[in-house]
Amino acid sequence: MTSVDNVLRRPCAGPAVWKGPDLANSTEWVLRLSPAQTGELDAALRSVRERGLPLLKVTADDFPLPTLAGELARLTDVLENGRGFVRVKRIPVERYGRAAASTIFWGLGQHLGVPVSQNAAVAT
């Protein structure tokens, strides 16, 4: 039996193996943005707009998040080596248009890793 066969026959284990009921009463997987952190999103959005950067050219350096970046770096480890997901709450999307919200989500993604478009119509 090859090592691949052995891997496929072992039960999965570790922090990425979870069931909904295990997380139902926990908030450790939720990041609730503070007003100061949403202010950082607004400032980063303004910075990108003022510079006229196209969405797919925006990098983490172009989207500065002075205090939130540290929290996002911690979450990157959770995404890569932990449970594999996090829920970010309190992004005030109702006050942004579609383009602004896209820039915010792209900018956040840049701090979390290497985001890619899921829209086949958008060339990268």
Side-chain angles (χ1 to χ4, degrees):
M1 195 177 326
T2 68
S3 62
V4 171
D5 292 328
N6 288 332
V7 169
L8 297 176
R9 293 174 195 267
R10 284 186 294 156
C12 294
V17 178
W18 49 267
K19 294 180 181 176
D22 298 336
L23 302 173
N25 296 318
S26 171
T27 59
E28 70 179 19
W29 53 277
V30 178
L31 170 62
R32 286 180 178 81
L33 298 182
S34 69
Q37 290 169 326
T38 58
E40 288 184 18
L41 294 177
D42 290 338
L45 175 62
R46 273 191 309 278
S47 174
V48 167
R49 285 183 161 175
E50 287 168 0
R51 295 171 60 204
L53 295 171
L55 177 66
L56 298 181
K57 299 292 184 187
V58 174
T59 68
D61 289 340
D62 298 320
F63 201 82
L65 301 170
T67 63
L68 185 53
E71 182 67 13
L72 295 174
R74 183 189 68 78
L75 292 176
T76 298
D77 184 60
V78 170
L79 295 171
E80 289 290 326
N81 304 306
R83 86 183 69 77
F85 75 94
V86 65
R87 180 177 182 193
V88 180
K89 293 183 78 172
R90 297 187 181 156
I91 297 175
V93 293
E94 66 281 353
R95 72 179 183 214
Y96 305 117
R98 187 177 203 160
S102 294
T103 301
I104 287 171
F105 290 123
W106 185 265
L108 285 169
Q110 287 290 336
H111 284 273
L112 292 170
V114 180
V116 294
S117 175
Q118 294 183 1
N119 181 344
V122 177
T124 55

